[in-house]
Amino acid sequence: MTFTPSPLEKHHFKDELFYIKRDDLLDIDFSGNKARKFEYFLVNDFPKIKQIVGFGSNQSNAMYSLSVLAKMKGWKFIYFCDHIPSFLRDNLVGNYKYALANGMELRLSNDKNTDANSLNDNKTIVVQEGGRQIEAKLGLKNLALELIVDIKKENIKNPYIFLPSGTGTTALFLQKYLPFKVFTCSTVGDDLYLKTQWDMVDKNMLEYPNILNSKKKYHYGKLYPEAYQLWKDLKDEMGVEFDLLYDPIGWIKFLENKERLKGTPIYIHQGGLKGNESMKARYERKYDKIL
Ligand SMILES: *Cc1c(COP(=O)(O)O)cnc(C)c1O
């Protein structure tokens, strides 16, 4: 199985034109860039494999998508993370809630990377944090091929791509397979962090994506009132709900640099809406009285 192409939509925000690749609509359960990254595991046969093992944070989009993949494949899914706040245990929400409902077996660990990788054997697939691995190439190449068709069909002049990065895997492989410039920004670390990630995924790249920055520094997972406000404005004006963890920071950095980027922008919506349930609750607790 491969996916039916996701729609490319034409939108305006503050009187400027943006095309949005709606990868959030790729599939009801298996959506966004995690579906693309894990497509390799979905479409290939692994007759010996009985379980899939992952690790990362307790609300990660990758964790939820792996739970969907495991369910579809009939595999056991073991996930390592370093803590579960008692608040979350008592109030199941977001990716954590839905991954548990899909049968995820959660294991707490002070060294989740080592512990996850120690389970590696011929019955097990171990997935790196955030799906940062070479197998992601297959699904992201398919996304790039879809974009090339979309751009031709819509007759878009001088297109360029923007998407916010975590590990940078999505941006890296899009740049590999697209004849257009791919711009991204880091939401996790600095420029050097992103380049180090890229070296770990694929050392033989001819061209890296271009990294955009903002005047203000943003820390991963922290709440910012201006980010929440922009997320609301994007939703009100375009009728598109973006993810609350990566997208608002992505849009802030994108809009800050947009004037000097020449051409027609295509923003990649990378899904993650299941995770909004917990992010929204955090924002509402902190800011809804003010905003
Ligand atoms: C995982 C994720 C990202 C980051 O993707 P990378 O390939 O790790 O850069 C961005 N946006 C959303 C919604 C995600 O779920």
Side-chain angles (χ1 to χ4, degrees), residues 19-68:
Y19 283 90
I20 316 273
K21 180 67 170 167
R22 298 293 304 274
D23 247 18
D24 55 317
L25 304 177
L26 194 59
D27 184 275
I28 289 176
D29 282 321
F30 205 41
S31 88
N33 72 349
K34 302 306 178 296
R36 301 285 190 179
K37 286 177 173 186
F38 299 145
E39 187 179 357
Y40 173 87
F41 298 110
L42 186 65
V43 298
N44 285 296
D45 272 338
F46 300 89
K48 290 211 182 79
I49 295 300
K50 298 271 184 280
Q51 62 179 9
I52 192 156
V53 176
F55 59 95
S57 84
N58 57 49
Q59 279 295 6
S60 116
N61 293 331
M63 171 188 74
Y64 169 69
S65 297
L66 284 174
S67 78
V68 175

Side-chain angles (χ1 to χ4, degrees), residues 31-34 37 60-62 65 95 129-132 136 140 163-172 184-185 187-188 193-194 197-198 220 242-247 267-273 276:
S31 88
N33 72 349
K34 302 306 178 296
K37 286 177 173 186
S60 116
N61 293 331
S65 297
N95 287 318
E129 187 162 9
R132 188 204 71 218
L140 293 170
L163 71 165
S165 279
T167 66
T169 310
T170 308
L172 181 76
T184 188
C185 67
T187 59
V188 173
Y193 162 84
L194 210 45
Q197 296 285 314
W198 288 336
Y220 186 68
F242 287 93
D243 142 277
L244 259 168
L245 182 58
Y246 300 92
D247 283 324
Y267 189 100
I268 313 291
H269 192 320
Q270 302 176 85
L273 296 189
N276 276 5

Side-chain angles (χ1 to χ4, degrees), residues 111-128:
D111 190 357
K112 56 192 180 198
N113 184 334
T114 311
D115 286 343
N117 281 292
S118 77
L119 294 184
N120 209 352
D121 63 19
N122 60 2
K123 293 190 199 66
T124 307
I125 291 171
V126 179
V127 174
Q128 299 310 302

Side-chain angles (χ1 to χ4, degrees), residues 45 56 60 77-79 96 103 125-126 132 146 186-187 211 248 261 272 278:
D45 272 338
S60 116
F77 172 41
I78 301 172
Y79 188 80
Y96 181 68
I125 291 171
V126 179
R132 188 204 71 218
E146 274 180 36
S186 181
T187 59
I211 303 173
L261 308 178
S278 52

Side-chain angles (χ1 to χ4, degrees), residues 131-176:
R132 188 204 71 218
Q133 53 197 33
I134 196 81
E135 289 86 349
K137 208 152 88 165
L138 176 127
L140 293 170
K141 183 179 182 181
N142 288 340
L143 171 57
L145 296 177
E146 274 180 36
L147 282 164
I148 290 171
V149 172
D150 291 336
I151 287 164
K152 226 171 161 180
K153 220 193 267 171
E154 290 284 321
N155 198 15
I156 301 171
K157 297 276 175 298
N158 247 335
Y160 69 88
I161 307 290
F162 179 82
L163 71 165
S165 279
T167 66
T169 310
T170 308
L172 181 76
F173 287 131
L174 283 181
Q175 185 65 86
K176 186 179 179 96

